[in-house]
Amino acid sequence: MTLAKRAATLALAGIGVAFAIVSCCYMADNYLVISHPTLCGGVSNGTLCSEEFRAARRQLGVLPQAADRVTAAMVSTVAIQVRAIIATAAEIKRANVRQNHFVNVVADDCSTQGGIALRYLGRTMDAINSNSQHHDRAFWLSAASTQVGNCVDGFKSLAPSATFQPAFVHLETVANKASDTLEAVVAIAKKAAPAPATNTGLGGLFPKFGRKLASPESTTVAGGMKWLDDDFVAQLRQLQAELNALGDDVHEHVARRQLHHRHHDNNDKQDKKNKDSGSSGSSSKSSKNKGGKSKGSKGSNAKPTSGPIIASKGLRANAVVKGSIQDAVDAAPGGNRYVIYVPAGTYKEQVVVDTPDIILIGAGAGSTVVTYDESYGSGSSTFDSATFGVNSDRFVVFGMKFVNTAGPDNHQAVAFRSTGDQSAAIDCSFEGSQDTLYVDAGRQYYKNCYIGGTQDFIFGDAAAVIENAKIQLHPSSSFITLTASGRAKDTPTGIVIRDSVVSADKGAAKAFLGRPWKKCAFTVFVNTVLPAVIQPDGWLSWNEGSCMFLAESGSKGPGAKSSRADWVDPGIISSASQYTASSFAEVNSWLTLA
């Protein structure tokens, strides 16, 4: 059987996918018109899916929860399509009999990106079914759309091959349908008001993602994801100073602290158990050896030590890197905030973070360095070239440096990539050439960071705010572009750089604020100092479209101008009050700064 035929029969092979799902969809003011001849095809509870969808279409504009029902039906549709994309990519890889390296790389990337997209879709479905997190949904759906686009872009970068071209055409067709559907769903999510609780009944479409919001990846309280303390940044700085001061004793100290807290946690559980059973709490002493030392402490004093590890509101190190950062990250249990201290040193390794709620604290951006040299030139994709990649949510890094040393001749070479929602980097450094900082998806925040590169070295499709940054332009043999927004649809994403200083190395010339990587590119510079090497046009033409938004407000320095190229829209704007960390990336709902 040919690869194209195999791809076409995947839905019949028992893997639960359907390819011809949504043929047309568009938004009007208060209603949605959808042609869906096979909307619920291949779905285990297809009858329920169809009933919910028909009911939603009848009620949308009359009952507020109808918007959620349509969203749920469409999200389930996209999930089916994403699974079809993943399966088709796997078929392409299996048919790669000549073992073309880049085909395998792109297929593997597509599988990873599809999995991330399904996670975002699953979180959206959880929120719909619990009638919560209304403002998060548009970001999650946008992130899912970005990952679908990343998969297609990867295959497009390959030279045409008669072997897998028919299957790729099929994959691209399905991906385009998913992308169009997501665009409509994002529009609904942006317009829909909170409604009375209603369960869509479609949670069964996500057997892997039908979680309750109390799960590790959905830690919420009233008012948003307040999983961090109000004086979090101050705590980070205090804890970093205390850990740095311990020097070589930091490993033993943190281990002793962890043992102490595990001991007290066990005692608390025993006390609760005794209370529930009506017995006295004296039996909790049985967990100790004579002399008051905890079991397994190897004779160390289990009493609290003064000063280090416990910060003002309880932020403490849970682990210390000893050897590999990847090993320490992989050992994180997930489910709660987990702080890992990375001592001073140079770590030559590629790291991928898949566990949510991790905080990395380095000894300082000049002391803790993660470096690698993977690049497109060495056989990697842009996605996988990252020295440090984050796939999970609520990741925070403080006081570390990330470097890709591949150099400009090796083209795309990412130092740091974040694909998770609600990630932050504070007091960090990102160094590379082309594609240094990949703000791929989700909401992201960068504060007091250094970023250096040559072409497109701040790029992606996240809702990213970068403030108080030092941005350094390195010499390039052709041109220099600070940014390349990958916004392809009308989504709440884009790149905002504010209150920063851009400087140029000696020899750096012909620089631009950025160029539109995708047709709806969204980039704003606010109150930023620009060097003289910034060209008068400001921006470099590439893939501009009618939905593009490239703007400056309050630019300063010799590179600032009162107008830019005619094609730049809107260009210079008088006010940028809406482009703050709190309003654009909603940072105040998930990372409250000191």
Side-chain angles (χ1 to χ4, degrees):
M1 181 183 294
T2 66
L3 181 57
K5 288 182 179 179
R6 291 182 68 184
T9 57
L10 286 175
L12 302 177
I15 62 173
V17 296
F19 298 135
I21 298 176
V22 175
S23 59
C24 176
C25 53
Y26 60 88
M27 279 294 300
D29 286 341
N30 291 309
Y31 62 92
L32 184 72
V33 179
I34 300 177
S35 173
H36 56 57
T38 57
L39 171 69
C40 297
V43 178
S44 57
N45 53 352
T47 301
L48 178 59
C49 173
S50 298
E51 289 175 353
E52 287 292 325
F53 190 88
R54 293 191 186 99
R57 285 192 58 184
R58 289 194 300 267
Q59 297 174 5
L60 186 60
V62 179
L63 298 177
Q65 62 264 38
D68 273 359
R69 290 185 175 182
V70 167
T71 301
M74 296 176 74
V75 168
S76 68
T77 294
V78 175
I80 296 169
Q81 292 167 326
V82 171
R83 292 189 181 103
I85 291 168
I86 295 171
T88 305
E91 287 292 324
I92 291 174
K93 182 176 179 179
R94 281 193 288 270
N96 184 25
V97 292
R98 296 184 180 179
Q99 289 300 302
N100 181 301
H101 171 72
F102 280 106
V103 171
N104 289 343
V105 168
V106 169
D108 288 341
D109 280 354
C110 191
S111 178
T112 299
Q113 292 154 353
I116 294 171
L118 286 174
R119 189 189 78 216
Y120 279 119
L121 295 173
R123 293 186 67 185
T124 303
M125 187 64 77
D126 284 345
I128 291 171
N129 282 329
S130 61
N131 191 43
S132 63
Q133 298 174 274
H134 297 274
H135 298 291
D136 294 324
R137 300 177 195 176
F139 292 101
W140 294 339
L141 293 166
S142 299
S145 181
T146 297
Q147 296 314 298
V148 171
N150 286 346
C151 170
V152 174
D153 288 346
F155 278 108
K156 281 185 175 179
S157 69
L158 300 173
S161 168
T163 304
F164 66 82
Q165 189 67 13
F168 167 66
V169 170
H170 178 74
L171 181 148
E172 185 177 23
T173 299
V174 176
N176 288 339
K177 289 179 180 179
S179 181
D180 289 344
T181 305
L182 281 169
E183 184 176 23
V185 180
V186 169
I188 296 174
K190 289 164 66 176
K191 295 177 71 173
T198 176
N199 195 301
T200 64
L202 294 173
L205 297 175
F206 294 88
K208 292 179 64 178
F209 300 98
R211 302 180 305 270
K212 295 182 179 180
L213 287 174
S215 68
E217 290 192 0
S218 302
T219 307
T220 60
V221 298
M225 284 195 171
K226 299 283 189 178
W227 70 289
L228 301 176
D229 297 318
D230 289 343
D231 59 347
F232 178 63
V233 174
Q235 288 190 63
L236 286 174
R237 292 202 173 102
Q238 177 185 343
L239 184 55
Q240 181 193 57
E242 294 170 347
L243 291 165
N244 288 348
L246 288 170
D248 293 339
D249 295 331
V250 67
H251 295 87
E252 180 183 353
H253 201 108
V254 171
R256 189 165 67 244
R257 268 296 177 188
Q258 284 297 98
L259 182 64
H260 169 74
H261 282 280
R262 283 197 298 270
H263 169 74
H264 273 270
D265 288 343
N266 289 336
N267 280 350
D268 289 342
K269 291 178 182 178
Q270 184 64 46
D271 288 344
K272 185 178 185 303
K273 182 178 180 181
N274 291 336
K275 184 178 179 180
D276 291 343
S277 64
S279 62
S280 68
S282 59
S283 62
S284 63
K285 293 180 181 180
S286 63
S287 62
K288 293 182 180 180
N289 291 326
K290 293 181 179 180
K293 298 173 184 176
S294 300
K295 291 182 179 180
S297 64
K298 297 182 180 179
S300 61
N301 191 341
K303 294 181 179 181
T305 55
S306 60
I309 308 306
I310 300 297
S312 59
K313 286 190 177 181
L315 185 69
R316 66 177 186 268
N318 300 100
V320 180
V321 170
K322 189 174 184 180
S324 166
I325 297 175
Q326 186 68 66
D327 288 346
V329 167
D330 290 344
N336 292 295
R337 184 176 59 196
Y338 193 81
V339 181
I340 301 173
Y341 176 63
V342 189
T346 299
Y347 300 80
K348 188 173 182 180
E349 59 175 318
Q350 272 191 297
V351 181
V352 177
V353 180
D354 289 316
T355 304
D357 301 310
I358 285 181
I359 300 174
L360 288 187
I361 299 179
S367 301
T368 300
V369 181
V370 188
T371 180
Y372 212 72
D373 58 359
E374 200 66 53
S375 67
Y376 180 83
S378 65
S380 177
S381 65
T382 303
F383 188 86
D384 277 345
S385 70
T387 297
F388 198 99
V390 179
N391 294 335
S392 57
D393 299 332
R394 299 180 300 279
F395 172 84
V396 177
V397 59
F398 181 82
M400 292 179 63
K401 182 176 184 178
F402 304 92
V403 184
N404 192 308
T405 60
D409 293 339
N410 282 300
H411 308 289
Q412 296 94 329
V414 176
F416 183 91
R417 171 186 57 80
S418 179
T419 305
D421 189 30
Q422 299 178 335
S423 67
I426 303 164
D427 292 3
C428 288
S429 179
F430 308 95
E431 183 63 85
S433 297
Q434 182 177 344
D435 292 0
T436 303
L437 178 60
Y438 191 177
V439 291
D440 187 21
R443 286 161 287 188
Q444 303 186 22
Y445 181 63
Y446 299 82
K447 184 179 179 67
N448 302 332
C449 292
Y450 167 94
I451 309 167
T454 55
Q455 289 182 2
D456 307 337
F457 63 94
I458 301 172
F459 76 109
D461 190 27
V465 175
I466 299 168
E467 65 179 1
N468 300 329
K470 294 181 179 179
I471 301 173
Q472 196 70 23
L473 309 179
H474 299 326
S476 170
S477 59
S478 52
F479 56 84
I480 301 169
T481 43
L482 273 74
T483 64
S485 169
R487 182 173 176 256
K489 303 275 186 181
D490 183 15
T491 55
T493 59
I495 298 171
V496 174
I497 297 174
R498 57 179 302 122
D499 305 317
S500 298
V501 176
V502 181
S503 303
D505 290 345
K506 184 178 180 180
K510 198 177 180 182
F512 299 87
L513 299 175
R515 55 178 177 166
W517 176 23
K518 300 289 178 68
K519 65 179 182 179
C520 293
F522 190 109
T523 308
V524 182
F525 284 80
V526 182
N527 300 331
T528 294
V529 179
L530 304 176
V533 296
I534 298 293
Q535 299 299 290
D537 281 353
W539 306 83
L540 185 62
S541 178
W542 194 8
N543 293 313
E544 56 269 19
S546 60
C547 51
M548 177 184 69
F549 190 96
L550 306 177
E552 294 173 76
S553 178
S555 292
K556 309 167 188 176
K561 302 296 178 184
S562 58
S563 64
R564 297 299 189 186
D566 292 340
W567 62 268
V568 175
D569 187 23
I572 308 300
I573 57 178
S574 58
S575 175
S577 58
Q578 66 270 46
Y579 304 119
T580 63
S582 59
S583 61
F584 192 76
E586 300 187 346
V587 169
N588 61 327
S589 72
W590 53 272
L591 179 64
T592 305
L593 303 177

